[in-house]
Amino acid sequence: MRDVAIIGVGIHPFGRFAGKEFTEIGQVAVLDALRDAGIPWKEVQAAFCGNMTSGTAAGHRVLARVGMTGIPIVNVENACASGGSALRLATQAVATGLYDVALAFGVEKMPRGFMAMTSYDRWQMLQGMAINPIGMALNTRWHMDTYGTTAIQLAKVSVKSHKNGALNPNAMYRKALSLEEIMNSPMVCDPLRLLMLCAPDEGAAAAIVTTGENARKYTSQPVFVAAAQLGSPLYGTTFGTIAVGGSSGSARMSAPEVSVVTAQKAYEQAGLGPQDLGCVELQDTESGSEIIYYEQLGLCGPGEGGRLLDEGATEINGRIPVNTSGGLIAKGEPVGASSLGQVHELVLQLRGQAGQRQVAGARVGLSHTVGAGGNCSVIILKR
Amino acid sequence: MRDVAIIGVGIHPFGRFAGKEFTEIGQVAVLDALRDAGIPWKEVQAAFCGNMTSGTAAGHRVLARVGMTGIPIVNVENACASGGSALRLATQAVATGLYDVALAFGVEKMPRGFMAMTSYDRWQMLQGMAINPIGMALNTRWHMDTYGTTAIQLAKVSVKSHKNGALNPNAMYRKALSLEEIMNSPMVCDPLRLLMLCAPDEGAAAAIVTTGENARKYTSQPVFVAAAQLGSPLYGTTFGTIAVGGSSGSARMSAPEVSVVTAQKAYEQAGLGPQDLGCVELQDTESGSEIIYYEQLGLCGPGEGGRLLDEGATEINGRIPVNTSGGLIAKGEPVGASSLGQVHELVLQLRGQAGQRQVAGARVGLSHTVGAGGNCSVIILKR
Amino acid sequence: MSVVPSRKNQVPVQEGLFSMPAGPGESARLLGSRCKVCGEAFFPAQAMCANCCTETTEPVVLGTRGKLFSYTNVNHAVPGGYKGKIPFGVGTVDLPEGVRVTTRLTEHDTSKLRKGMEVELVLEPLFEDEQGNELVGFAFKPVR
Amino acid sequence: MSVVPSRKNQVPVQEGLFSMPAGPGESARLLGSRCKVCGEAFFPAQAMCANCCTETTEPVVLGTRGKLFSYTNVNHAVPGGYKGKIPFGVGTVDLPEGVRVTTRLTEHDTSKLRKGMEVELVLEPLFEDEQGNELVGFAFKPVR
Ligand SMILES: [Zn+2]
Ligand SMILES: [Zn+2]
């Protein structure tokens, strides 16, 4: 296996862009990544596109607006982990010698309102149970019951997200919010309130990878893909009911959650551990998830997520900054792009280009997404 | 790179199955492939699912009905080439040593009627131009104008397809049709009549790959993946206008078509040529395409497709049998599954298990699909 | 158990999910499957065991009482064709067969719900479908 | 050129696709882009050249006459929101700038069409949209 490095990242801001086609949104991110890498499009040998809702041949339609060079293009639909899956495939293709330069990008123009998820069965839809916040609220309530996590802690996650988002020109919401504003926002699925949830939106992000050796030709600051893992749920997890629409869970078993298993594999692949992380972008579909994933990614022990937050450890100036970009709560979630949006943030952080959001001395970053179908991507980057 | 062999194939018949969820259709094909390979599900290390219309996490939802073992699952949306793209990724993953056993499958439950393609721009939809038969009719008319191909030849393709489909228990249409029936069917897009077109339908197909060495443990008849190529269109092809929704073509350039380029790469990868092929399954979205792709895949020279057909060379007992399965015209097209449906047929042919459709002495087979976005997959199998 | 009295034609949200009460005083029952090898139970019924990964399941009629594992509610219009009342409760319920079922709850006030409380199966009329039938779903109700 | 007389408010199927006639006796024009490096032209206008793969394009107003390259017709209801007349013609037309445009044709009888024939741009009212506007598209018409 060859070392693989990211030589360029690009983004189209996350938000709402009425009248703008997804093709244009995707094009902006890809061109931005090409410029960042200083590489002409004709040198890119393969492309992988993460997308959920734009219909057939989404990546082809975006890339026809960049240049029709005949390269293989694979469209990946892995829900929230689509972009991470695309980057993993691009990384594997370069690592194994299939290609020397590959593009991974994600693009999405989400319909407005609650995601009308197609990953539920018809009876779940007719019973009103086909919305994602239900699953997350059940998880969060379980965590509160089990470990004493509080509603105030949930709101504090959102305070942090919006504070960071206010510093991010690519975020949808760029305004700090008070604890009171969040606690007074409407209840969606108890204990989750509206301002604790991420909103679906539009955006795109891209990364160009090549071999570590080749990377030096393009940049003095290559960021290496130390690990790229993708997992699906084991049978018998606590939250098994929710991950895969329509199937029940087990009350008798307690298999490890998909994020735990996938992160462990990533740490092994990278030869690194949670203690090495200088910045983390994780799947904060809502506030409860952020606290739960602190634990599942090993940033702290089981049940210690609320305390980690209270201590300020996950603030930009904390011991282990999480979602310095503002996370999905402030950026919104353009599903196919969200994972590569995380990668965009981490690359900026590792290069020292994150401006007002810059964390001090980060050498290793982790991107984590998990979504429909129990799709889970964990990527570890290091400079 | 390691040799890669198919050790099991599975299928859910192509057709219409009211009340059957796509999850069940996909499950049938995957279980069929596992049985065919004689391998337990827990030995499969990675899965790739081709799908276009079933929404998010399609592969995860199917495989949750086979067993939740935590493996990475990648959903691939590459239009008609989805299944071929999935098999190519599975093959690459085994060839490069990432995994020893991988599953590729495709599943689709197409909405009824003309495909409501999302690969067109809004202005094309509002002008009534967002249906696939338009592009194919334009190609076919060009071929008729340029080479003298006739409407009777178009009908003869469909006669052959239905004759073969009548012998295939997995086809949607299993009844031979006369030339008159086809010529008297309603005109859809001149010169293409209804009975010359393939219909969208439902179905699934699957293949399990492992290393050539490992294959001997499971089967005495491994079928090797000699090549698996994926391409997108070059700028400046004759038919460039049609492949990628919304973009114009060039009247000044004449770049080679995506099927020509992708097939050439596959022949090179396999170290084989058209003269070695014992059976071919190609993208007969309609009769005109079959004749055009005879030429583009090198089964005959440019403009000789009509004659190749007239000579009977592409009949089951001909020199180079094409679409012995009945092709998409008789089987219908469940988009995400169609490419792996071709692979299923070729594997049966190469093993000598194709029953009444068996061609004599085939040692090499080729699968070809091309669709929205100009997605093109060419796979060469050999025994 | 009789569903709330109604003159409309009542239709389950999906065939095969649950049985209607067999007679007066009888309960509706959720219809699942159970693996003959490892004993894991599933709802809705599946042909395969997701644990063993084998075709070893047989039908099983699930118990009507269980323990609440987690709970929430829905306070907002939802996509997917649901036209019934809002708010409503949702929870996960552990049944004696070892299945953890995600289900509606008759109680949407979370202050009246707690982990581990005993709940029992009831049928619940949801809303009128396009054919004028009254769709019936299942829910769990706290046992007083 | 004046569109078929109508009292309705006329709206193009998409802004930026074509210009309306500037005055009596004037033509509508398709609005494309052309690469400053390789000279390739595109319709609709693109920011990038798909041939050079560079951001080198400038706007170009395309010629109104071209040659028919291939042709067909649509005889059947189509998805995508189209509510206009059926049958109608469709073709690819080579314009002097080297663009091959896929377009509606005013002629749907293919016996009256042939490869290489000269065709010219016209605007065509299509159907009334949900706001009561009359959508206007473009088509090419054989030159007699
Ligand atoms: Zn079992
Ligand atoms: Zn150019």
Side-chain angles (χ1 to χ4, degrees):
Chain A
M1 296 288 168
R2 309 189 292 183
D3 277 353
V4 178
I6 295 174
I7 54 169
V9 288
I11 197 162
H12 180 290
F14 291 10
R16 283 293 181 185
F17 308 95
K20 217 172 189 180
E21 299 274 347
F22 82 92
T23 44
E24 189 181 344
I25 291 172
Q27 182 196 33
V28 166
V30 173
L31 293 180
D32 191 30
L34 291 168
R35 268 190 299 266
D36 186 47
I39 198 169
W41 173 238
K42 289 193 176 183
E43 290 188 25
V44 175
Q45 299 165 332
F48 301 87
C49 169
N51 178 265
M52 184 170 84
T53 62
S54 302
T56 191
H60 297 70
R61 297 190 66 202
V62 169
L63 295 177
R65 287 169 161 259
V66 176
M68 294 173 70
T69 54
I71 61 169
I73 302 168
V74 174
N75 299 296
V76 177
E77 194 295 300
N78 268 30
C80 304
S82 295
S85 301
L87 180 58
R88 173 175 167 269
L89 289 172
T91 300
Q92 289 177 338
V94 170
T96 58
L98 294 171
Y99 298 105
D100 291 326
V101 181
L103 165 72
F105 73 109
V107 58
E108 206 74 65
K109 189 176 175 79
M110 298 288 295
R112 286 180 172 273
F114 274 129
M115 295 186 197
M117 295 305 287
T118 50
S119 56
Y120 295 93
D121 279 349
R122 190 172 145 72
W123 66 271
Q124 294 176 301
M125 295 186 192
L126 294 176
Q127 294 208 150
M129 291 161 52
I131 55 166
N132 294 339
I134 287 178
M136 293 143 191
L138 292 169
N139 295 355
T140 302
R141 172 59 61 190
W142 169 85
H143 200 268
M144 294 168 90
D145 281 343
T146 308
Y147 299 117
T149 302
T150 66
I152 296 294
Q153 286 172 326
L154 298 180
K156 282 168 79 175
V157 169
S158 191
V159 168
K160 173 174 77 69
S161 301
H162 284 94
K163 188 167 71 176
N164 295 350
L167 306 176
N168 186 353
N170 295 312
M172 176 159 66
Y173 302 120
R174 294 194 292 269
K175 187 170 163 290
L177 292 179
S178 70
L179 195 74
E180 292 65 37
E181 285 173 290
I182 292 158
M183 287 303 286
N184 290 330
S185 68
M187 189 65 85
V188 176
C189 291
D190 187 343
L192 300 175
R193 294 177 182 275
L194 190 61
L195 293 179
M196 297 172 182
L197 294 167
C198 85
D201 66 352
E202 306 167 21
I208 296 167
V209 292
T210 186
T211 61
E213 201 184 328
N214 204 24
R216 302 286 173 186
K217 290 203 315 212
Y218 298 98
T219 178
S220 58
Q221 293 191 297
V223 170
F224 292 86
V225 184
Q229 289 288 337
L230 178 69
S232 63
L234 291 169
Y235 179 74
T237 59
T238 303
F239 300 143
T241 21
I242 294 126
V244 179
S247 74
S248 58
S250 174
R252 309 193 308 173
M253 302 181 66
S254 54
E257 301 296 330
V258 65
S259 293
V260 172
V261 176
T262 310
Q264 275 173 352
K265 286 185 183 162
Y267 290 133
E268 268 170 45
Q269 186 187 355
L272 297 165
Q275 70 286 353
D276 299 306
L277 300 177
C279 49
V280 172
E281 294 280 311
L282 59 71
Q283 179 81 29
D284 58 330
T285 314
E286 29 58 52
S287 302
S289 287
E290 175 153 331
I291 292 174
I292 291 171
Y293 294 134
Y294 289 167
E295 301 169 14
Q296 293 191 7
L297 298 175
L299 312 190
C300 61
E304 297 173 358
R307 200 172 66 198
L308 192 73
L309 177 81
D310 284 340
E311 289 169 356
T314 58
E315 299 276 350
I316 286 176
N317 61 0
R319 179 167 56 78
I320 177 136
V322 174
N323 290 338
T324 57
S325 67
L328 305 178
I329 291 175
K331 288 189 299 186
E333 190 175 21
V335 171
S338 62
S339 192
L340 282 156
Q342 295 181 336
V343 166
H344 183 269
E345 174 73 4
L346 296 174
V347 167
L348 294 191
Q349 292 286 1
L350 296 176
R351 285 179 182 167
Q353 298 174 341
Q356 291 184 278
R357 304 187 310 287
Q358 185 63 48
V359 306
R363 304 188 59 87
V364 179
L366 181 146
S367 148
H368 161 261
T369 48
V370 60
N375 260 303
C376 182
S377 158
V378 175
I379 289 164
I380 298 177
L381 303 178
K382 69 176 180 195
R383 66 173 192 202
Chain B
M1 296 287 168
R2 310 189 291 185
D3 277 354
V4 177
I6 294 173
I7 55 170
V9 288
I11 196 161
H12 181 290
F14 291 8
R16 284 294 181 185
F17 308 96
K20 217 173 190 181
E21 300 275 348
F22 82 91
T23 44
E24 188 182 345
I25 291 172
Q27 181 195 36
V28 166
V30 172
L31 293 179
D32 191 29
L34 290 168
R35 269 190 298 266
D36 186 48
I39 197 169
W41 173 237
K42 290 193 176 185
E43 291 188 23
V44 175
Q45 299 164 330
F48 300 87
C49 169
N51 178 264
M52 184 170 82
T53 62
S54 302
T56 191
H60 296 70
R61 298 190 65 201
V62 169
L63 296 178
R65 287 169 160 261
V66 176
M68 295 172 71
T69 54
I71 61 169
I73 302 168
V74 175
N75 299 295
V76 177
E77 192 294 300
N78 269 28
C80 305
S82 297
S85 300
L87 180 57
R88 171 175 168 271
L89 289 172
T91 299
Q92 289 177 338
V94 170
T96 58
L98 294 170
Y99 299 105
D100 291 327
V101 181
L103 164 72
F105 73 109
V107 59
E108 205 75 65
K109 188 175 178 80
M110 297 289 294
R112 286 181 172 272
F114 274 127
M115 293 185 198
M117 295 303 286
T118 50
S119 57
Y120 294 92
D121 280 349
R122 191 172 146 73
W123 66 272
Q124 294 176 303
M125 295 186 192
L126 293 176
Q127 294 208 151
M129 291 161 51
I131 56 166
N132 293 340
I134 287 178
M136 294 146 190
L138 292 168
N139 294 356
T140 302
R141 171 59 60 189
W142 169 85
H143 200 267
M144 295 168 89
D145 281 344
T146 308
Y147 299 117
T149 303
T150 66
I152 296 294
Q153 286 172 327
L154 299 180
K156 283 167 78 175
V157 169
S158 190
V159 168
K160 172 174 79 67
S161 301
H162 285 95
K163 189 167 71 177
N164 294 351
L167 306 176
N168 185 355
N170 295 312
M172 176 160 64
Y173 301 121
R174 293 193 292 268
K175 185 168 163 294
L177 293 178
S178 71
L179 195 73
E180 292 65 37
E181 284 173 289
I182 292 159
M183 288 301 287
N184 290 331
S185 68
M187 188 67 85
V188 176
C189 291
D190 186 342
L192 300 174
R193 293 176 181 276
L194 190 61
L195 293 179
M196 298 173 180
L197 294 168
C198 86
D201 66 351
E202 305 165 24
I208 294 166
V209 293
T210 187
T211 62
E213 200 183 329
N214 204 23
R216 303 287 173 186
K217 289 203 314 212
Y218 297 98
T219 177
S220 59
Q221 292 192 296
V223 170
F224 292 85
V225 184
Q229 290 287 338
L230 177 68
S232 63
L234 291 170
Y235 179 73
T237 59
T238 303
F239 299 143
T241 21
I242 294 127
V244 179
S247 74
S248 58
S250 175
R252 309 192 310 174
M253 302 182 68
S254 53
E257 300 296 331
V258 65
S259 293
V260 172
V261 177
T262 311
Q264 275 173 352
K265 287 183 182 162
Y267 289 135
E268 268 169 45
Q269 186 186 358
L272 296 165
Q275 70 286 352
D276 299 307
L277 301 177
C279 48
V280 173
E281 295 281 311
L282 59 73
Q283 179 81 29
D284 59 329
T285 315
E286 28 59 52
S287 301
S289 287
E290 174 152 332
I291 291 174
I292 291 171
Y293 294 134
Y294 288 167
E295 301 169 14
Q296 293 191 8
L297 298 176
L299 312 189
C300 61
E304 294 173 0
R307 200 172 67 198
L308 191 75
L309 178 82
D310 285 341
E311 289 170 358
T314 58
E315 299 275 351
I316 286 176
N317 61 1
R319 180 166 55 80
I320 176 135
V322 174
N323 290 337
T324 56
S325 66
L328 305 179
I329 291 175
K331 288 188 298 187
E333 189 177 21
V335 171
S338 61
S339 193
L340 282 157
Q342 294 181 337
V343 166
H344 183 269
E345 174 73 5
L346 295 173
V347 166
L348 293 190
Q349 291 286 0
L350 296 176
R351 285 179 182 167
Q353 296 173 343
Q356 290 183 279
R357 303 187 311 287
Q358 185 63 48
V359 306
R363 304 188 59 85
V364 179
L366 181 146
S367 148
H368 161 260
T369 47
V370 61
N375 261 305
C376 181
S377 158
V378 176
I379 289 162
I380 298 177
L381 302 178
K382 68 177 182 194
R383 67 171 190 205
Chain C
M1 193 222 66
S2 98
V3 177
V4 178
S6 156
R7 292 217 193 79
K8 292 176 206 149
N9 185 29
Q10 294 191 324
V11 175
V13 284
Q14 187 173 297
E15 287 298 329
L17 271 188
F18 50 80
S19 63
M20 298 300 255
E26 296 288 312
S27 288
R29 304 291 292 265
L30 295 183
L31 304 174
S33 58
R34 181 159 44 196
C35 175
K36 293 184 209 172
V37 176
C38 71
E40 277 294 295
F42 303 92
F43 173 81
Q46 299 185 16
M48 293 283 294
C49 173
N51 185 37
C52 291
C53 313
T54 49
E55 293 173 80
T56 43
T57 64
E58 57 187 358
V60 62
V61 175
L62 299 171
T64 57
R65 286 205 174 194
K67 284 191 191 317
L68 193 61
F69 179 74
S70 190
Y71 53 91
T72 181
N73 54 25
V74 173
N75 299 283
H76 198 293
V78 294
Y82 176 73
K83 299 195 197 75
K85 67 168 179 168
I86 288 168
F88 59 92
V90 175
T92 41
V93 172
D94 291 352
L95 296 181
E97 292 77 11
V99 194
R100 179 167 295 156
V101 174
T102 307
T103 174
R104 289 171 65 96
L105 301 175
T106 57
E107 180 59 67
H108 68 84
D109 180 351
T110 53
S111 72
K112 297 184 181 156
L113 298 168
R114 58 171 206 287
K115 187 174 181 187
M117 80 192 297
E118 204 158 344
V119 291
E120 69 177 356
L121 180 69
V122 296
L123 296 188
E124 220 189 3
L126 294 170
F127 55 93
E128 200 172 293
D129 72 7
E130 283 156 17
Q131 287 76 46
N133 298 314
E134 186 169 64
L135 284 177
V136 177
F138 64 92
F140 279 81
K141 184 174 87 172
V143 177
R144 313 289 164 185
Chain D
M1 191 223 69
S2 96
V3 176
V4 177
S6 156
R7 293 217 192 81
K8 291 177 207 147
N9 184 32
Q10 294 191 324
V11 175
V13 282
Q14 186 171 299
E15 286 300 329
L17 270 187
F18 50 79
S19 63
M20 298 299 256
E26 296 288 311
S27 287
R29 304 291 293 263
L30 295 184
L31 304 174
S33 59
R34 183 161 43 196
C35 176
K36 293 185 212 174
V37 176
C38 72
E40 278 293 297
F42 303 92
F43 174 81
Q46 298 186 15
M48 293 285 293
C49 173
N51 187 36
C52 291
C53 312
T54 49
E55 292 173 81
T56 44
T57 63
E58 57 189 357
V60 62
V61 175
L62 299 171
T64 57
R65 284 204 175 195
K67 284 191 190 319
L68 192 62
F69 179 75
S70 190
Y71 52 93
T72 181
N73 54 24
V74 174
N75 299 280
H76 199 291
V78 294
Y82 176 73
K83 299 195 197 77
K85 66 169 181 168
I86 288 168
F88 59 92
V90 174
T92 41
V93 172
D94 290 352
L95 295 182
E97 292 77 11
V99 195
R100 180 166 295 156
V101 174
T102 308
T103 175
R104 289 171 65 96
L105 301 174
T106 57
E107 180 60 67
H108 68 84
D109 179 350
T110 53
S111 72
K112 296 184 181 154
L113 297 169
R114 56 172 208 287
K115 187 177 182 183
M117 81 191 297
E118 205 159 344
V119 290
E120 67 177 358
L121 180 68
V122 295
L123 296 189
E124 222 188 3
L126 294 169
F127 56 91
E128 199 172 296
D129 72 7
E130 284 158 17
Q131 287 75 45
N133 298 313
E134 187 170 62
L135 284 177
V136 177
F138 65 92
F140 279 82
K141 185 175 85 170
V143 178
R144 310 290 165 187

